[in-house]
Amino acid sequence: MKKLNFIMCLLAFALGSASSRADANDADVSDSPNRNLTGFEGLNEQQPLWEVGVGGGMVEVPNYPASGETNSVALALPYVIYRGDIFRLGGQGGARAVFFEKSDFEVDLSVSGAFSAESEAGSAREGMPELDFMFEIGPQLIYKIKDYTFSGGGKARLNARMQARAVFSTDFGRIDSRGYVFEPTIRYQQRGVFLPDTGFSLAARMTWGTEKLHDYFYQVSPEYVTVLRPAYDARGGYLGAEISTSLAFPIAKNLRGFLGASVQLHHGSANEGSPLYEEDITYSFGVGFVWRVYQSEAKSNW
């Protein structure tokens, strides 16, 4: 599975995001538990209610968890961000509906996705159905663990996220349920790394999935058995862990660049015995830019 949200998170990392409905007159506007410290605006500056622009990037990613095959994916597309009190589009949270929010935690309903993957000749999945485009939807809790202020300048934040999501796949002709995932994440962000407007992020995530999701990646039904690919009945459980890091930096006014990399650790996965499980450790990396073309004069209420 080629992670769409790896690309989108890198793009969003350069964009920044907003997620607090607290009145800016009553609290520091950086108090939101999900306030991104790496975007265009300063830490205490209100962000526009909406903006449009262009983002682009290239990533090298594995085809699916523990896959030995990788693909290069390049994207350049327009983006729209809307930072409403309840409904929010774009930024690091993707598409979200916020149900409850305080200065140190938030509960919302969010959506993310992943690319399709072809069953290429010579690959472990040769002759098997391709993995369709996937998307996830479900609740998440964001908790602000601690904020940091440095004497030499800059601020940092440590957040925890707890996500439980239903997973679906689609070939854009039909939609199939693929079970559920649970993903706890710890993320550290710092603004003012190296230069005042640069931003750094480091995150660690673990993923558990139901049997239906593991079946989609690792099961080998009798009709797909070959000499090198025996039948395999997948089971649910631990899917793997990921450590990712990103660096965003200004290039010009309303133009930011970014670099990102991640390592995926699959040792101990519930289906290490599958013939489709190939690598204990896989890697992703990306590079790209975000150009903000227009922003509203109205500001978001945080």
Side-chain angles (χ1 to χ4, degrees):
M1 178 174 64
K2 301 192 286 288
K3 278 284 187 180
L4 174 61
N5 59 353
F6 180 72
I7 295 179
M8 299 312 294
C9 281
L10 288 174
L11 290 174
F13 178 83
L15 284 167
S17 63
S19 58
S20 174
R21 286 177 291 172
D23 191 324
N25 295 321
D26 295 334
D28 188 313
V29 298
S30 67
D31 277 348
S32 166
N34 196 33
R35 175 67 188 262
N36 195 305
L37 306 185
T38 64
F40 288 106
E41 281 73 33
L43 295 176
N44 297 314
E45 182 182 357
Q46 285 183 284
Q47 296 178 321
L49 180 62
W50 60 269
E51 63 183 72
V52 295
V54 177
M58 185 280 292
V59 294
E60 181 83 9
V61 286
N63 281 351
Y64 59 90
S67 171
E69 289 81 39
T70 63
N71 259 329
S72 296
V73 181
L75 285 178
L77 67 165
Y79 76 83
V80 176
I81 289 182
Y82 175 73
R83 301 182 176 97
D85 289 345
I86 297 176
F87 296 104
R88 296 160 193 182
L89 177 65
Q92 197 169 42
R96 297 186 298 139
V98 179
F99 297 134
F100 187 79
E101 187 172 29
K102 292 291 185 181
S103 62
D104 57 353
F105 69 93
E106 171 189 312
V107 178
D108 64 36
L109 182 71
S110 59
V111 179
S112 68
F115 287 114
S116 60
E118 297 180 357
S119 301
E120 299 175 351
S123 71
R125 294 187 59 88
E126 180 180 3
M128 297 184 67
E130 296 181 357
L131 297 177
D132 292 332
F133 178 88
M134 300 180 72
F135 64 94
E136 304 172 1
I137 182 170
Q140 75 170 341
L141 168 67
I142 304 171
Y143 177 68
K144 182 172 68 177
I145 299 174
K146 188 175 179 60
D147 279 350
Y148 305 87
T149 301
F150 302 100
S151 58
K155 291 185 178 181
R157 170 160 297 162
L158 184 65
N159 275 357
R161 294 172 183 249
M162 305 291 284
Q163 297 177 336
R165 288 174 166 169
V167 185
F168 302 89
S169 66
T170 180
D171 59 2
F172 300 100
R174 55 178 289 175
I175 296 177
D176 297 300
S177 172
R178 298 299 179 187
Y180 299 88
V181 292
F182 174 66
E183 293 183 328
T185 303
I186 296 290
R187 174 176 283 113
Y188 173 84
Q189 285 190 324
Q190 183 176 337
R191 178 81 172 223
V193 181
F194 308 122
L195 295 171
D197 291 330
T198 59
F200 169 78
S201 177
L202 178 66
R205 179 181 68 190
M206 301 181 75
T207 303
W208 284 264
T210 58
E211 181 176 350
K212 202 168 185 179
L213 180 62
H214 282 266
D215 284 347
Y216 193 57
F217 295 135
Y218 302 118
Q219 181 134 325
V220 180
S221 301
E223 63 268 32
Y224 302 118
V225 169
T226 67
V227 174
L228 300 177
R229 189 171 62 209
Y232 184 82
D233 184 17
R235 57 192 178 93
Y238 180 62
L239 185 61
E242 181 178 36
I243 300 172
S244 60
T245 184
S246 300
L247 180 69
F249 50 90
I251 299 175
K253 183 179 180 180
N254 290 325
L255 182 65
R256 291 180 72 79
F258 62 84
L259 301 169
S262 71
V263 55
Q264 298 87 38
L265 309 171
H266 305 290
H267 181 71
S269 171
N271 292 287
E272 283 184 300
S274 170
L276 303 179
Y277 179 104
E278 298 180 283
E279 301 289 343
D280 285 336
I281 302 175
T282 56
Y283 304 91
S284 303
F285 63 88
V287 60
F289 72 94
V290 173
W291 175 33
R292 183 165 67 184
V293 178
Y294 185 80
Q295 60 181 306
S296 66
E297 293 184 5
K299 302 296 183 179
S300 60
N301 294 322
W302 36 265

